[in-house]
Amino acid sequence: MSSFLFCEEEARRNKGNRETDIPIKGVLILVHCSYFLSPPTAAFTLDPDHKHPELIISQDHRRAQLQPALPPKTVTHSGTLMVVGKEGYASGKHYWELGVGDTLDWELGVLTQAARDKVKKEKFSGPLGEGCWALRSSREGFFTHQDGEKIEKKEVSYEKIGMFLDREHGTITFYNAEIMFLISSIPTQSNERLYPFLSFVKAGEDANQSPLEVIHRRIPVPLKAPKRKKTFPYFF
């Protein structure tokens, strides 16, 4: 799967471009990566200085886990149980994969530097406000952080989530990373540097959730379609 990429979003942008000759039928298009360029590997290192005090960060700064519940299984978790990445991005295209395991309640996305500084100042005690664009998962389905819009959840595994930040087009796009199935694409309306983050949601209902993990991987994403006179090769 690493040599291919489903990219409905890019296909939509190329609609009507006869030079690429890509059919647009509202379906996912599988395009071989030889026709695309790969962006620089995106870093996503969990920042122990920007995390909720009840989260444990692994030594390699790639995994976050809730502190074990105190006996007799007393749940003490409160506030916004999140950790922010060290690296922020003001331009370019960046892709990460995050392992969520069998955890049903989580939130992944990006936030502005101002929002990052605000949650740290408030010691992660309050909810995320303005300057945040994210996908939230719960037992009821997927929801966008901004307006709570519900997104259909297919009957497939969601143990790995792909997150594609495109500063050029101003979007953050989420995929089921195991089959590169598009979940949602959300506009990011900000000129500030954006920082990726991950968060546990409703931890009080399940204090023993699986950890959330950053999976570093280089995945080719479309930057510019080639000019070809012949029919652009594609697969369905």
Side-chain angles (χ1 to χ4, degrees), residues 4 6 11 21-31 232-236:
F4 294 87
F6 286 104
D21 196 22
I22 301 177
I24 307 298
K25 298 180 181 179
V27 297
L28 295 175
I29 296 178
L30 181 62
V31 185
F232 192 85
Y234 59 91
F235 306 84
F236 287 96

Side-chain angles (χ1 to χ4, degrees), residues 209-225:
Q209 294 191 57
S210 300
L212 301 179
E213 181 179 11
V214 179
I215 304 172
H216 292 298
R217 186 173 299 171
R218 178 187 288 269
I219 298 292
V221 295
L223 296 183
K224 184 178 181 180

Side-chain angles (χ1 to χ4, degrees), residues 69-70 73-77 203-205 207:
L70 299 174
K73 297 185 178 181
T74 303
V75 176
T76 60
H77 307 303
E205 298 179 10

Side-chain angles (χ1 to χ4, degrees), residues 100-144:
V100 298
D102 57 2
T103 300
L104 296 176
D105 299 303
W106 47 259
E107 188 168 23
L108 306 174
V110 293
L111 73 171
T112 64
Q113 185 165 347
R116 172 176 173 261
D117 295 341
K118 182 175 182 290
V119 293
K120 181 180 180 180
K121 183 178 180 180
E122 296 175 350
K123 299 181 179 180
F124 300 89
S125 60
L128 291 171
E130 298 293 328
C132 173
W133 298 272
L135 178 72
R136 178 168 56 87
S137 171
S138 73
R139 288 163 174 77
E140 291 75 32
F142 290 126
F143 300 87
T144 59

Side-chain angles (χ1 to χ4, degrees), residues 178-198:
E178 294 185 298
I179 57 175
M180 293 311 296
F181 179 85
L182 177 66
I183 299 174
S184 180
S185 187
I186 302 171
T188 56
Q189 302 171 345
S190 175
N191 294 322
E192 288 188 55
R193 186 176 295 272
L194 297 181
Y195 292 81
F197 76 89
L198 53 85

Side-chain angles (χ1 to χ4, degrees), residues 151-167:
I151 301 167
E152 182 181 1
K153 203 170 189 177
K154 305 293 184 181
E155 293 297 326
V156 296
S157 171
Y158 288 95
E159 293 188 1
K160 292 181 182 179
I161 303 297
M163 195 162 71
F164 177 44
L165 175 64
D166 187 344
R167 295 309 314 263

Side-chain angles (χ1 to χ4, degrees), residues 7 12-13 17 31 87 116 140 165 169 187 201 206 230:
C7 195
R12 187 183 298 111
R13 295 190 188 118
N17 185 344
V31 185
E87 301 82 9
R116 172 176 173 261
E140 291 75 32
L165 175 64
H169 292 94
V201 181
D206 185 4
K230 297 181 180 181

